[in-house]
Amino acid sequence: MSFLSIRNLSARLKGRPDQILRRVSLEVAAGEVRGLVGESGAGKSMIGKAILGTLPQSVEITGGQIILDGTDLLSLPTAQRRTLIGAKCALIPQDPLTALNPSRRIGPQITNRLVDILHWTRADAEKRARDLLAEVQIPDPERVMRSYPHELSGGMRQRILIASAFAAEPKLIIADEPTTALDVTVQKQILKLIAAMQARHGTALLFVTHDLGVVSKVCQSLSVLYAGYVLEDSTIPDFFHTPKHPYSRALLAATPKYTDPDGSLTPVSDAVIAATRAEVEAADRSAHV
Amino acid sequence: MLDGRSAIKRKLPTRLVLSATWLTLLTLAAVFAPLIAPKDPLAQDLFLGQLPPFWVQGHEPGYLLGTDSLGRDVLSRILYGARLALTVALTAGTITCIIGATMGLLAGFLRGWVDILISRAIDIWMAFPPVLFSILLIAVLGPSLTSIIIAIVVIDWTRFARVIRAEAMTQGAMDYVASAQVAGRTRLSTMITEILPNVLPTIVVLLTLEMGISIIVEAILSFVNLSISTDDPTWGGMIAEGRASIHQAWWVLVFPLITLFLTVLSFSQLGEGLKDRFDPVLR
Amino acid sequence: MQFLQSVLLRLCTTLITLAGVAVIVFFVIRVVPGNPIAMMLPPGATEADVARLTALYGLDKSIPQQFLIWVSGVLQGDFGTSITTKQPVLQLVLSRLPATLELSVMALIIAVILGGFMALTGTRLRGSKTEAAIDVGNGMALSVPDFLWGLILILTFGVLIPIFHISGRVTPSLPLPFTTNFYLTESVLRLRFDLWLDIAAHMFMPALALAIPLAAIIGQLLKQSLKETMHLDYVTLARTKGYSETHVILREALPNAILPTLTLVGVQFTFLIGGTVIIERLFSYEGLGNMAIDAVINRDLPLIQGIVILFAVIFTGVNLLVDLTYAALNPRLRHA
């Protein structure tokens, strides 16, 4: 059985009919790296937030299950659910500039989960933080732990956030567009670092991104999302050789290839979008019957 | 986003309508006080001193809200008191607004030594305890309606100047002002035709708030017995008297207090309501 | 280095402000009609008596001359002599200052507790009916000034439910063993909790009246800035680490949301101190403000000057202190 299994998850804006997520189902096996792709507004980040329980207040879940390691998260009371998430999951956030508390030193921001939630001793937690900072190739971890976030560069901060995500050896990490806010030069290093860390720790990873190029490098499988609806669910080799859905094919044609960066690109055509939209609406209708 | 906007639109009229209604009623009452006041507000009758309001045992017909210790009708005095309160609100508020806003515009748009001078003056003003300063001014000028208005203007012009200065500075830095300058307009005409219309909503909101504040200042001054002559009915004077006889006749304090409370609340709610209306983000 | 420079600059402007206040108050009160000397003497005093006394208080000299004499006195710590009580102004003012300081600080503490509680509760229960109620209450508290709140408190807790004292600073019949005028503070230090209770019960109503508008401002500002902070990624991250919502608000969001509130609270605190003048009058509280109003009514020129200058010193001092605290609390500024 998969470590994470989402079944028929639906969500919408409170008091409005339009759906944000439409009967989303996806599985992440232990140690698997799954990409979650879609254009902006497709609801890919919402899935990550639904799992972690950090959906905005304006969004409500209208149905479905999120089963993490055999427990349905949606059936748990908030406090219990947070503790469970805190112990088994972690988040690598999108923007390293706002993801570290500006008024606290780096050290406690890495160790606090270990000490407060998982009841490690402070010494153990600090040793662990130092080791991890070294592992993400941060020079002089001792000094960095005593620094405030504003004293460090964006790339450094993202490394710290990655180290922090792996601190409690979670079973699942959700990376929410972890390279989007970074300089192109730093993006590649961070991507490599995440892949290396994942491989070394064997953590399952749900990689949310709009960049198919990134998916092809890091992931083993992927789900393509459009308007909160899963269009296609396949393994990476299958997807890149024989994409099943017309929208997927259009998306691939619109993505620059690492093998041929100068090759011509075709934007996703209006016809494909219209057909996809019609398909999603048809699926909505049949689900409501 | 859309939900929030429509919610504010729906909520906004209620508080605007309520406060506007109260202020209209009060204005009518003030204008027609001689016609609607049941008694002469100055008539004393020591035999009818400290009569309770109409629902309390021992009241006297004709004295709806009771009488004070000199036997004067509380309701009539409140109605006549509204005349002074609203006069102060309108005149003092408007003059303060004109002077303060002009200072703020000049400082914020012209900058340079004008700004230095005005800002320094604002700093000095901010270091004065306002209530004490107004009491001092009235002591200097002698108690009269004119003195009250002068005192309010002298104390409160900074309230406008500070805000308008900041707004004029932001507006002055914008492109449309630069293009007006390039087009060869003088600084003064740019200030009046380009900056003023853009800060006008803020000025209107501040003016509404200032009217409420003026009424409070007047009440405070009559409370320390420094407003106009002691016989004339003022809300503050009635409150001072009510405070003194609070254990014998609570109504002498309660009714002017409620009137004052509602009036001040209405002016401020009107101002806040207008602020929401004017706010381009919400519009 | 830059920090030190800006502190020096601030000190300079503060001194200019104080000088401005001194000049204005000095000349304004010299225009006061009514001869304070004539008021002091019994009826039937001769012209010569008036002239002698006028000379004694230096009121026969020209106004600029009087100003120079006064300034040179002030620089030596001599603020002149009160006309009504014939005591040195400095001594009079300092004897009343503790009462006003204790009242202001008590009001500030109440405002911070009340406002902070409102902001935190509103944030914790966002989207609920409680939050809406808090917003409405805040709006009301903000619209109505301390003077009216004072009257409302007098009515409710002085007359309707008489549980607090509404006049004076302490029950007059109580023997006071104090050596300073910081009654509230000293009663704690002397472990006289019976006296403390009596003084606090006298102080609570005026302090609350002063605190209500400030509490509303703190509540509104802090809630707004908490709201903005709660959307930031590090708050979300803390949630995913397993912390409770209350912990997230208190430990992660609050320390960062508090800074913008702090600067405004500084300015607002000076407004609160300014409000003590009328509130002390309203509650017959024997502080500086009450003394000031008496001084104005009695035309006690040296005393008025002294009190206004003292208020100005307090105001500018508070603002200076807030700026420095802000710099000290913000790690970004501290290390710059």
Side-chain angles (χ1 to χ4, degrees):
Chain A
M1 170 162 180
S2 307
F3 180 72
L4 171 76
S5 137
I6 297 180
R7 293 177 193 160
N8 279 320
L9 185 69
S10 294
R12 64 168 181 205
L13 275 176
K14 259 179 203 158
R16 309 185 116 241
D18 17 337
Q19 304 259 305
I20 294 176
L21 297 178
R22 298 161 199 260
R23 304 168 304 282
V24 169
S25 295
L26 62 86
E27 312 265 321
V28 182
E32 182 190 358
V33 183
R34 174 173 285 269
L36 199 50
V37 244
E39 54 196 49
S40 51
K44 52 192 192 301
S45 284
M46 285 297 159
I47 294 177
K49 291 191 166 105
I51 299 165
L52 295 169
T54 57
L55 283 173
Q57 276 207 315
S58 52
V59 175
E60 63 178 341
I61 290 176
T62 50
Q65 290 172 306
I66 302 175
I67 296 163
L68 184 79
D69 205 8
T71 319
D72 181 8
L73 289 177
L74 298 178
S75 67
L76 289 181
T78 314
Q80 238 175 304
R81 175 176 165 179
R82 278 203 184 172
T83 321
L84 187 72
I85 295 280
K88 297 196 169 168
C89 300
L91 168 72
I92 300 176
Q94 177 172 9
D95 185 0
L97 297 185
T98 60
L100 287 165
N101 190 331
S103 64
R104 298 172 77 176
R105 292 175 199 276
I106 298 296
Q109 300 200 51
I110 303 176
T111 57
N112 62 356
R113 179 201 322 239
L114 303 178
V115 175
D116 297 341
I117 307 292
L118 302 171
H119 310 293
W120 291 33
T121 65
R122 188 160 297 279
D124 286 352
E126 274 169 11
K127 178 169 187 315
R128 171 81 176 153
R130 272 194 300 275
D131 293 349
L132 274 164
L133 286 179
E135 201 180 331
V136 295
Q137 295 140 37
I138 281 182
D140 201 354
E142 220 31 271
R143 187 187 59 81
V144 168
M145 280 175 67
R146 284 192 309 270
S147 310
Y148 283 97
H150 69 268
E151 298 165 332
L152 306 167
S153 70
M156 281 273 260
R157 290 192 227 185
Q158 192 58 295
R159 282 168 195 274
I160 290 164
L161 287 163
I162 292 167
S164 173
F166 281 93
E169 287 294 350
K171 296 283 184 319
L172 171 71
I173 288 179
I174 293 168
D176 187 1
E177 308 241 15
T179 56
T180 311
L182 298 172
D183 285 347
V184 186
T185 45
V186 188
Q187 276 186 8
K188 243 182 169 170
Q189 299 170 18
I190 295 293
L191 214 55
K192 268 191 189 152
L193 179 67
I194 294 177
M197 292 288 284
Q198 186 278 331
R200 206 170 313 143
H201 293 260
T203 319
L205 189 62
L206 186 62
F207 203 103
V208 179
T209 180
H210 61 270
D211 189 345
L212 277 177
V214 167
V215 171
S216 70
K217 299 207 136 186
V218 184
C219 303
Q220 294 150 12
S221 58
L222 92 171
S223 301
V224 181
L225 218 62
Y226 181 84
Y229 184 78
V230 179
L231 290 177
E232 177 158 4
D233 182 339
S234 86
T235 65
I236 293 296
D238 283 357
F239 180 83
F240 280 90
H241 289 119
T242 49
K244 280 177 281 209
H245 198 276
Y247 180 82
S248 308
R249 283 197 289 276
L251 211 57
L252 268 174
T255 308
K257 290 172 186 59
Y258 284 89
T259 48
D260 180 16
D262 300 322
S264 65
L265 297 177
T266 332
V268 180
S269 74
D270 292 346
V272 171
I273 289 177
T276 311
R277 183 160 286 282
E279 184 191 333
V280 169
E281 279 162 8
D284 272 359
R285 277 192 298 278
S286 63
H288 285 146
V289 172
Chain B
M1 271 314 284
L2 280 168
D3 279 311
R5 247 186 258 183
S6 57
I8 285 162
K9 277 246 157 105
R10 255 183 283 115
K11 226 166 62 188
L12 192 135
T14 357
R15 78 174 177 184
L16 272 184
V17 165
L18 278 181
S19 46
T21 310
W22 171 257
L23 292 175
T24 314
L25 284 178
L26 195 74
T27 313
L28 290 176
V31 172
F32 297 107
L35 296 177
I36 52 174
K39 304 281 173 195
D40 177 354
L42 300 178
Q44 305 185 5
D45 188 339
L46 292 180
F47 292 106
L48 295 173
Q50 298 192 346
L51 290 176
F54 69 90
W55 67 88
V56 179
Q57 188 91 55
H59 71 273
E60 197 74 34
Y63 295 92
L64 271 183
L65 301 181
T67 61
D68 63 14
S69 40
L70 295 174
R72 296 175 296 192
D73 182 38
V74 169
L75 176 60
S76 304
R77 288 179 72 76
I78 289 179
L79 291 175
Y80 274 88
R83 303 189 122 191
L84 181 74
L86 290 179
T87 313
V88 170
L90 285 178
T91 46
T94 313
I95 301 174
T96 313
C97 169
I98 293 171
I99 293 179
T102 311
M103 295 286 207
L105 273 176
L106 288 174
F109 185 59
L110 296 183
R111 310 302 307 270
W113 62 269
V114 183
D115 186 25
I116 293 176
L117 220 61
I118 294 176
S119 302
R120 198 65 27 238
I122 294 175
D123 274 355
I124 294 173
W125 250 254
M126 298 287 288
F128 273 105
V131 175
L132 184 55
F133 197 20
S134 62
I135 291 170
L136 191 59
L137 282 172
I138 297 290
V140 173
L141 300 166
S144 76
L145 181 60
T146 327
S147 318
I148 297 177
I149 293 170
I150 294 176
I152 292 173
V153 174
V154 169
I155 295 159
D156 269 355
W157 67 272
T158 54
R159 218 185 272 274
F160 287 82
R162 268 186 305 152
V163 179
I164 301 298
R165 174 178 171 268
E167 283 234 337
M169 268 164 61
T170 350
Q171 294 289 344
M174 287 188 183
D175 283 346
Y176 71 89
V177 176
S179 59
Q181 295 273 347
V182 172
R185 303 264 288 284
T186 65
R187 312 251 295 159
L188 212 63
S189 101
T190 313
M191 189 178 97
I192 291 165
T193 55
E194 304 290 333
I195 307 277
L196 185 61
N198 281 295
V199 296
L200 206 56
T202 314
I203 294 182
V204 173
V205 171
L206 285 176
L207 174 62
T208 321
L209 297 176
E210 183 62 34
M211 289 186 178
I213 293 166
S214 304
I215 289 184
I216 284 289
V217 174
E218 190 276 318
I220 286 176
L221 290 172
S222 11
F223 180 82
V224 287
N225 210 356
L226 278 169
S227 179
I228 56 175
S229 83
T230 39
D231 264 352
D232 280 331
T234 61
W235 293 347
M238 297 177 77
I239 286 170
E241 218 203 298
R243 168 75 175 95
S245 61
I246 192 167
H247 293 289
Q248 298 88 44
W250 52 265
W251 52 91
V252 186
L253 176 57
V254 168
F255 296 117
L257 180 57
I258 291 175
T259 320
L260 186 56
F261 185 88
L262 288 178
T263 310
V264 171
L265 191 64
S266 294
F267 272 120
S268 119
Q269 290 304 307
L270 195 66
E272 295 293 325
L274 289 175
K275 200 196 281 175
D276 287 353
R277 262 242 115 84
F278 284 140
D279 198 333
V281 184
L282 296 168
R283 192 159 41 190
Chain C
M1 207 43 228
Q2 213 166 12
F3 180 72
L4 205 70
Q5 221 168 0
S6 65
V7 169
L8 281 174
L9 197 73
R10 273 301 313 265
L11 273 175
C12 279
T13 51
T14 304
L15 285 178
I16 295 174
T17 305
L18 287 178
V21 170
V23 172
I24 290 174
V25 71
F26 191 88
F27 287 100
V28 163
I29 62 175
R30 284 308 180 280
V31 203
V32 176
N35 187 342
I37 302 300
M39 281 170 66
M40 288 166 61
L41 291 165
T46 62
E47 285 280 323
D49 291 336
V50 174
R52 199 167 47 77
L53 213 61
T54 310
L56 184 68
Y57 282 98
L59 296 175
D60 55 341
K61 302 199 173 61
S62 72
I63 290 179
Q65 256 179 318
Q66 290 183 34
F67 184 67
L68 284 180
I69 294 170
W70 181 70
V71 168
S72 63
V74 165
L75 292 179
Q76 294 160 39
D78 175 12
F79 282 77
T81 309
S82 156
I83 295 179
T84 33
T85 66
K86 315 213 169 30
Q87 284 171 287
V89 167
L90 193 64
Q91 187 189 323
L92 272 176
V93 166
L94 289 183
S95 75
R96 285 292 188 99
L97 180 64
T100 300
L101 282 184
E102 281 191 340
L103 179 64
S104 308
V105 171
M106 171 101 128
L108 180 65
I109 293 171
I110 295 175
V112 168
I113 293 174
L114 218 59
F117 180 76
M118 291 294 182
L120 292 172
T121 318
T123 310
R124 180 69 186 83
L125 303 173
R126 17 183 215 293
S128 71
K129 286 222 168 65
T130 317
E131 191 207 0
I134 286 177
D135 285 347
V136 170
N138 260 347
M140 287 261 286
L142 206 58
S143 308
V144 177
D146 44 18
F147 176 62
L148 287 186
W149 287 121
L151 287 163
I152 291 166
L153 290 176
I154 287 178
L155 270 172
T156 1
F157 297 107
V159 181
L160 218 57
I161 325 160
I163 43 173
F164 289 104
H165 296 281
I166 53 168
S167 99
R169 194 178 175 200
V170 61
T171 305
S173 55
L174 286 177
L176 299 177
F178 301 139
T179 48
T180 69
N181 283 328
F182 289 97
Y183 289 178
L184 197 71
T185 321
E186 206 181 328
S187 67
V188 174
L189 294 179
R190 286 177 186 271
L191 306 177
R192 289 290 304 273
F193 296 108
D194 53 325
L195 285 176
W196 185 87
L197 206 64
D198 183 76
I199 296 161
H202 276 85
M203 202 186 271
F204 187 61
M205 287 287 101
L208 186 59
L210 287 166
I212 289 173
L214 180 57
I217 293 174
I218 294 177
Q220 221 169 46
L221 273 173
L222 187 59
K223 186 160 160 263
Q224 184 57 37
S225 96
L226 273 172
K227 199 173 168 182
E228 282 157 22
T229 312
M230 293 299 283
H231 286 303
L232 295 176
D233 282 352
Y234 64 83
V235 174
T236 309
L237 201 57
R239 287 199 187 105
T240 68
K241 286 180 181 174
Y243 288 105
S244 71
E245 193 65 14
T246 311
H247 177 105
V248 168
I249 293 173
L250 291 179
R251 287 296 308 277
E252 300 288 334
L254 187 62
N256 296 297
I258 230 165
L259 274 180
T261 315
L262 185 75
T263 24
L264 259 138
V265 168
V267 180
Q268 295 295 330
F269 183 50
T270 64
F271 291 161
L272 184 151
I273 298 173
T276 58
V277 175
I278 193 67
I279 290 297
E280 285 180 5
R281 192 69 174 180
L282 195 56
F283 287 88
S284 317
Y285 183 89
E286 295 108 12
L288 212 50
N290 215 343
M291 183 191 247
I293 293 180
D294 283 334
V296 173
I297 291 170
N298 297 326
R299 308 272 188 270
D300 194 336
L301 308 189
L303 188 55
I304 299 174
Q305 272 161 210
I307 295 175
V308 174
I309 294 292
L310 184 61
F311 268 114
V313 169
I314 297 174
F315 285 12
T316 46
V318 167
N319 281 329
L320 200 65
L321 204 70
V322 168
D323 285 0
L324 295 181
T325 321
Y326 188 87
L329 281 185
N330 192 341
R332 211 167 301 208
L333 288 176
R334 193 169 51 210
H335 293 279

